[in-house]
């Protein structure tokens, strides 16, 4: 089971908070939720994966698609915390070098604010 919710904690940023398992069965729902976030047309997108219990290759595909489709802004950040279930697949595929990774939501939001002013 997986849930994904959208919030806007600051005017220029939408956050997609994901909990549960991201696998072949739940990836389409996550993809739909991220597409909804992208349609929100804010310059910054944060995907919070810190509460994900399982993160399979389908989840990696969703992230790659999100980055490819996010052409209305210049900043996509991931919150991974110390969650090895998410960090390890990102490192193995070198996607940790593509995405802006953060330990917590506060850091990610600060990076979004810095990107907006810099």
């Amino acid at each position: 089971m997986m849930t994904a919710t959208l919030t806007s904690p600051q005017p220029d940023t939408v956050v997609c908070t994901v909990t549960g398992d991201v696998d072949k069965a739940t990836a389409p729902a996550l993809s739909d939720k991220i597409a909804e976030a992208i349609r929100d047309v804010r310059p910054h997108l944060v995907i919070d994966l810190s509460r994900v219990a399982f993160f399979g290759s389908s989840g990696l595909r969703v992230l790659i698609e999100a980055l490819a489709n996010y052409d209305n802004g210049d900043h996509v950040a991931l919150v991974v915390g110390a969650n090895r279930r998410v960090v390890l697949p990102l490192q193995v595929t070198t996607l940790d070098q593509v995405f802006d990774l953060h330990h917590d939501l506060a850091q990610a939001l600060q990076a979004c604010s810095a990107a907006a002013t810099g």
Side-chain angles (χ1 to χ4, degrees):
M1 187 169 141
M2 185 271 317
T3 60
T5 57
L6 299 180
T7 57
S8 299
Q10 54 196 39
D12 60 350
T13 306
V14 62
V15 176
C16 180
T17 303
V18 184
T19 58
D21 297 340
V22 180
D23 55 24
K24 186 176 181 178
T26 61
L30 178 57
S31 183
D32 290 347
K33 189 57 77 170
I34 291 174
E36 182 181 338
I38 291 170
R39 284 191 302 273
D40 192 72
V41 193
R42 294 179 194 244
H44 307 288
L45 171 62
V46 176
I47 304 170
D48 186 347
L49 300 169
S50 62
R51 297 182 195 142
V52 168
F54 175 81
F55 193 74
S57 60
S58 298
L60 293 171
R61 183 179 40 82
V62 169
L63 294 180
I64 292 166
E65 289 173 0
L67 191 60
N69 291 327
Y70 200 70
D71 60 2
N72 64 315
D74 61 349
H75 194 236
V76 176
L78 301 179
V79 177
V80 295
N83 189 342
R84 297 287 300 158
R85 293 175 189 102
V86 174
V87 174
L88 188 59
L90 291 171
Q91 289 173 334
V92 167
T93 59
T94 67
L95 287 173
D96 62 325
Q97 299 173 21
V98 175
F99 287 97
D100 181 18
L101 302 183
H102 297 277
H103 183 69
D104 59 33
L105 183 57
Q107 288 177 351
L109 294 175
Q110 186 175 31
C112 292
S113 293
T117 59

